[in-house]
Amino acid sequence: MPNRHASLTAILCALLLTTNMSVSTANSSTDPAMIEQRIEALLAQMTLAEKIGQMNQVNASDDDMSDSLREAIEAGRVGSVLNQVDVDAVNELQRIAVQESRLGIPLLAGRDVIHGFKTVMPIPLGQAASWNPNIVREGARVAALEAATAGINWTFAPMIDISRDPRWGRIAESLGEDPFLTSKLAVAMVEGFQGDDLAETGTIAATAKHFAGYGASESGRDYAAVNIPENELRNVHLPPFKAAVDAGVVSVMSAFSDLDGVPATGNEFLLRKILREEWGFQGFVVSDWDSVRQLAIHGLTENDRESVYQAVTAGVDMEMAGQSYINKLESLIEEGRIDVAMIDAMVANILRAKFRLGLFENPYTDTSALPAIANKQALETARKAALQSVVLLKNDQGVLPLSAEKLTSVAVIGPLADAPYEQLGTWIFDGDRELSVTPMHAIQSLVGHDVDVRYLRAMDNSRSQASEAFDEAAEMARDSDAVLLFLGEESILSGEAHSRADINLPGDQAELVRRVRTAGKPVIAIIQAGRPLTLTNIIDHVDGLLFAWHPGTMGGAAIADLLFGIESPSGKLPVTFPRMVGQIPIYYSRKNTGKPPSPDTVVLIDEIDAHAPQLSTGMTAYHLDAGYTPLFAFGYGLSYAEFDYEHIRASAREIRLGETVTISAELTNNGDVAADEVAQLYVRDLVGNVTRPVKELKGFKRLRLEPGQSVTVDFELHTDDLAFFGRNMQLITEPGDFHAWIGGSSETELRTQFRIIDSD
Ligand code: BGC
């Protein structure tokens, strides 16, 4: 921390008192009509250079903030900084902006606070496995409060790109494959970051990113081209963004990727037609890092100047890094190629965010007004989020939960049993590994002296090919009552620019499983990873398997509680797990095809009759060597309880357009422990003017049931909930027949049906 900033917070607090700026300011100054007046008044005073300054975001990660940054802020040439998290430094930057620039416009201070600040929640994909908007909202709230202590008032989250390719490293940051689940959790995250009132202390502006289609990059290679037909774009990729916009998200980030030949940062169709005209978005659009200048690298433009022209006319209000707006935009306006009225509207979008955040009244951060970092409640939220995000994928003969009373010894083996940094996952710029509770430590403290816990790392890291320690591992397994194998991927193997073509367990981990298996003891694998992995080569060699994603700060505590039955697993997969990589993309809401596969039509490669090969395949849509089902389906996840669904019914056989039908079923806990279950509603529209998926998630509820308890789970469906974008790209609910299912995964077969008829 530079010395000259050390006592600034104290000075600024005094200043706040003397200038009558309240620390918590929710007042008429944030009234929307008033804000528009204030924007207009401010714009009237601004020079063109100052307007362009607002559109410029500068990297300020330098601890020793450069003189040129100070000068630029003073000259009104910077609207936002990112990556400065020293609160005194941020306060100093705000002071320069507010007191030394001509118009005193405060700064937006941005940072990637993706799944926690110091206290780290599970990776977003893990949070999505909780299917619990409340815990996701709470996690974002904790992240906002902690980030606010560093002077941050704007985060670049949630990332809500629909992700159906586990090779893509950024699937870790996503909320999975499904538009409905992603939309619900996206809204929860926006609410958690932004609270009820952005001007309150401890709320920060959110960003819906990356608009749009970034998750559909070719072969999951990060930054690669994306081709999505408009109908699929509207039905699958855009709904979460629409939901975030409706929830009042302050900003939207344009994607790096090329969408159907027009990179998103220069894509007027996305940024103006859909976002502004169709959805009425009132916030502002920020480019991704240097993605304005990358328009030339894509080959959309000849040079930076033309890139600026394309990005501005497409609707990118603020440029992140890159500096090309500040260097090239003024001359484009002076030449008359860009109208100043367009610039005014764009600057207004940015100023609106600053007014909504209450920054004009209260630009400074007073850390004493905020809760302590990693306080009890923050850690409890992280523990609960991890607990609900872990998915039990296999539990043969009820090998789990383990009983501390019955065991005398347990072998804890593997590279991720005691890896405090790795369990935090990707995008944890500020995450504090010192806070991590690892599984190894949590298990030890949970079982105390009752069970002898032996530990062997066995591999330096998950990528290691060295198997020298495997004999010792097998021996330790033989000498113990049960084996807990902590496997997976380190955090570096997922995230931005960290895609993989092979998504098996890396290194020699599968061999470690086989060797440990020879000991003949119960083997339970606990996998931490940033993506779904293909587990086909190990699944038959383990008795139990918990998939824990990268579970964050409190991940170890949650895993220990689940292993020893303090709590039952309740996570459900937010994304399909393929059997092998060649099945990708594989997702539950596929289209039916004209030749749908079924158990009767599928002939696998080793079943082909050598004597009559031409008769041997089923002529349907499947892979000879993989069939057509995934290893684990979307929505799947076991419990220590036993949940049974029956008696599904629709409240009406027929409803008119504009009416509601209730789909309900009986859910019973036939097990002998209390547990949470996530009940899911799926629907199929049998006939559409464009074909509809074989199943679509339309509702979910997390419920807690005592042993023996039965409840009626019901979901209300309005006919608007069944609307889709048809052939002419209009949103429409078509009369006709629908199937509806309720169950504990997308493979549920408990079905009813209803019909929609015209309203007249
Ligand atoms: C990422 C964004 C991120 C930005 C700022 C980019 O490389 O794509 O998601 O917000 O960097 O760190």
Side-chain angles (χ1 to χ4, degrees):
M1 186 198 303
N3 285 339
R4 65 173 180 272
H5 305 134
S7 59
L8 203 73
T9 306
I11 298 168
L12 292 171
C13 289
L15 206 81
L16 285 178
L17 294 175
T18 55
T19 55
N20 230 358
M21 291 167 178
S22 69
V23 169
S24 179
T25 52
N27 56 33
S28 61
S29 61
T30 56
D31 167 69
M34 178 92 84
I35 286 178
E36 295 311 310
Q37 283 173 21
R38 296 176 76 185
I39 292 171
E40 212 177 301
L42 196 48
L43 274 171
Q45 297 175 58
M46 292 172 83
T47 63
L48 186 53
E50 284 165 338
K51 290 175 185 171
I52 295 169
Q54 287 303 305
M55 301 168 79
N56 182 30
Q57 186 185 47
V58 175
N59 184 21
S61 59
D62 242 3
D63 265 353
D64 216 10
M65 290 176 310
S66 66
D67 287 344
S68 63
L69 176 59
R70 300 167 147 266
E71 281 159 21
I73 295 173
E74 196 178 318
R77 305 284 277 161
V78 178
S80 169
V81 292
L82 79 159
N83 292 339
Q84 178 53 264
V85 286
D86 173 339
V87 66
D88 291 325
V90 177
N91 274 335
E92 166 66 359
L93 293 174
Q94 292 288 23
R95 190 196 62 74
I96 299 169
V98 170
Q99 295 193 1
E100 293 180 16
S101 78
R102 193 177 74 89
L103 294 171
I105 302 175
L107 297 164
L108 287 166
R111 181 69 158 175
D112 291 280
V113 185
I114 306 299
H115 53 114
F117 191 66
K118 298 281 182 208
T119 307
V120 178
M121 306 295 145
I123 54 170
L125 190 60
Q127 291 184 50
S130 75
W131 294 54
N132 185 351
N134 295 333
I135 194 72
V136 168
R137 190 182 301 107
E138 264 179 57
R141 173 85 187 124
V142 168
L145 285 166
E146 291 193 354
T149 63
I152 297 305
N153 53 37
W154 176 25
T155 176
F156 310 123
M159 194 276 231
I160 52 180
D161 299 312
I162 293 300
S163 304
R164 295 180 166 179
D165 194 329
R167 292 170 297 187
W168 191 43
R170 300 196 81 168
I171 197 171
E173 284 173 67
S174 83
L175 299 167
E177 75 179 41
D178 185 66
F180 185 87
L181 181 61
T182 298
S183 298
K184 296 291 176 211
L185 301 181
V187 168
M189 272 200 190
V190 170
E191 289 169 350
F193 287 127
Q194 298 194 169
D196 296 332
D197 181 353
L198 273 165
E200 294 236 327
T201 302
T203 57
I204 64 177
T207 306
K209 74 185 188 185
H210 307 83
F211 198 61
Y214 183 38
S217 62
E218 285 174 347
S219 80
R221 220 164 52 244
D222 206 3
Y223 315 128
V226 170
N227 288 289
I228 306 175
E230 186 180 337
N231 193 259
E232 184 184 331
L233 185 73
R234 288 182 179 275
N235 280 315
V236 176
H237 296 269
L238 296 186
F241 288 93
K242 170 74 163 64
V245 166
D246 290 346
V249 73
V250 168
S251 65
V252 165
M253 185 184 292
S254 65
F256 281 130
S257 40
D258 175 331
L259 177 68
D260 302 340
V262 184
T265 298
N267 198 314
E268 199 174 333
F269 168 71
L270 282 176
L271 302 177
R272 290 206 187 272
K273 178 158 190 307
I274 292 182
L275 190 59
R276 300 280 177 197
E277 290 169 28
E278 294 185 22
W279 298 353
F281 178 54
Q282 296 289 309
F284 72 98
V285 176
V286 62
S287 78
D288 204 339
W289 184 280
D290 207 12
S291 67
V292 173
R293 292 193 315 153
Q294 288 170 15
L295 293 178
I297 304 173
H298 277 284
L300 186 78
T301 64
E302 272 178 16
N303 52 41
D304 289 355
R305 194 161 183 274
E306 289 309 304
S307 298
V308 172
Y309 175 75
Q310 292 287 343
V312 169
T313 50
V316 176
D317 302 311
M318 181 184 284
E319 181 188 21
M320 177 186 283
Q323 301 277 299
S324 61
Y325 276 17
I326 205 85
N327 292 325
K328 313 282 181 193
L329 183 51
E330 195 158 346
S331 71
L332 285 163
I333 301 164
E334 278 163 3
E335 262 174 36
R337 284 184 69 198
I338 294 177
D339 194 340
V340 77
M342 179 182 271
I343 300 300
D344 283 354
M346 296 171 90
V347 174
N349 293 334
I350 295 162
L351 294 177
R352 190 173 299 119
K354 295 184 178 186
F355 281 115
R356 280 181 70 191
L357 280 160
L359 289 177
F360 285 87
E361 288 71 32
N362 182 23
Y364 302 116
T365 298
D366 169 12
T367 49
S368 71
L370 288 156
I373 294 283
N375 59 45
K376 213 168 143 218
Q377 197 200 333
L379 294 174
E380 178 53 18
T381 300
R383 193 189 68 87
K384 228 166 107 189
L387 203 62
Q388 297 190 2
S389 72
V390 176
V391 186
L392 178 62
L393 293 178
K394 181 173 181 183
N395 194 16
D396 266 9
Q397 334 267 299
V399 64
L400 287 174
L402 299 173
S403 158
E405 286 83 54
K406 289 189 193 143
L407 291 179
T408 53
S409 60
V410 65
V412 172
I413 299 173
L416 290 168
D418 195 18
Y421 177 77
E422 309 305 343
Q423 73 185 48
L424 300 181
T426 187
W427 280 114
I428 42 119
F429 283 160
D430 306 286
D432 185 351
R433 73 179 79 184
E434 300 291 318
L435 295 170
S436 287
V437 176
T438 68
M440 177 57 197
H441 282 104
I443 291 167
Q444 261 169 340
S445 70
L446 194 143
V447 300
H449 298 298
D450 298 346
V451 182
D452 179 11
V453 180
R454 295 97 186 248
Y455 169 56
L456 181 69
R457 192 178 172 97
M459 297 169 76
D460 278 349
N461 57 53
S462 73
R463 288 105 63 209
S464 166
Q465 303 284 352
S467 56
E468 290 84 38
F470 291 5
D471 281 343
E472 194 186 341
E475 207 168 306
M476 183 183 274
R478 243 185 307 277
D479 289 347
S480 305
D481 294 340
V483 187
L484 300 175
L485 267 179
F486 284 89
L487 308 172
E489 292 179 323
E490 279 82 29
S491 61
I492 187 114
L493 295 184
S494 57
E496 183 174 349
H498 290 77
S499 296
R500 295 179 63 202
D502 170 359
I503 55 166
N504 279 319
L505 279 171
D508 228 1
Q509 293 182 88
E511 178 58 19
L512 175 62
V513 175
R514 281 188 286 270
R515 293 284 282 282
V516 164
R517 185 70 176 167
T518 59
K521 294 296 169 61
V523 176
I524 293 129
I526 301 93
I527 297 186
Q528 297 173 65
R531 57 163 62 78
L533 299 173
T534 41
L535 301 169
T536 310
N537 59 353
I538 64 144
I539 195 71
D540 293 336
H541 305 299
V542 298
D543 302 288
L545 197 153
L546 276 177
F547 205 87
W549 319 98
H550 286 131
T553 301
M554 296 298 286
I559 289 169
D561 280 359
L562 293 170
L563 287 170
F564 287 90
I566 311 296
E567 266 296 333
S568 169
S570 58
K572 300 276 187 175
L573 296 180
V575 59
T576 304
F577 275 44
R579 294 175 190 278
M580 53 179 96
V581 83
Q583 290 182 297
I584 298 168
I586 181 168
Y587 48 92
Y588 83 95
S589 65
R590 66 183 185 280
K591 298 291 184 73
N592 203 28
T593 80
K595 288 170 173 277
S598 69
D600 303 337
T601 61
V602 165
V603 178
L604 293 175
I605 200 160
D606 48 6
E607 297 161 352
I608 294 175
D609 184 343
H611 303 294
Q614 71 281 13
L615 300 176
S616 63
T617 77
M619 303 298 287
T620 56
Y622 73 99
H623 290 107
L624 279 174
D625 45 2
Y628 62 96
T629 58
L631 188 60
F632 297 109
F634 177 83
Y636 176 81
L638 300 169
S639 167
Y640 297 155
E642 194 190 317
F643 290 111
D644 293 311
Y645 292 84
E646 52 192 351
H647 307 312
I648 188 168
R649 62 180 292 270
S651 60
R653 282 276 155 237
E654 212 169 75
I655 55 167
R656 289 182 185 282
L657 280 175
E659 291 182 347
T660 297
V661 62
T662 303
I663 313 293
S664 57
E666 293 301 309
L667 168 62
T668 305
N669 178 353
N670 285 316
D672 45 23
V673 293
D676 280 12
E677 163 72 344
V678 179
Q680 302 156 40
L681 170 74
Y682 294 89
V683 166
R684 178 173 183 187
D685 183 350
L686 297 193
V687 179
N689 82 71
V690 294
T691 55
R692 308 298 306 129
V694 294
K695 264 181 188 166
E696 285 181 282
L697 183 71
K698 289 289 176 186
F700 59 89
K701 279 183 185 170
R702 179 177 266 272
L703 305 151
R704 187 164 190 86
L705 270 75
E706 297 299 318
Q709 190 183 352
S710 278
V711 292
T712 302
V713 195
D714 49 21
F715 297 95
E716 282 201 352
L717 267 179
H718 187 274
T719 57
D720 285 354
D721 299 330
L722 299 164
F724 62 95
F725 287 89
R727 213 176 291 188
N728 60 6
M729 305 304 156
Q730 297 300 312
L731 195 59
I732 181 176
T733 305
E734 290 184 338
D737 289 320
F738 291 78
H739 284 167
W741 296 259
I742 291 180
S745 96
S746 61
E747 286 182 328
T748 170
E749 291 179 354
L750 188 67
R751 193 182 87 189
T752 184
Q753 61 193 56
F754 62 94
R755 168 183 278 265
I756 296 182
I757 56 172
D758 250 321
S759 40
D760 35 69

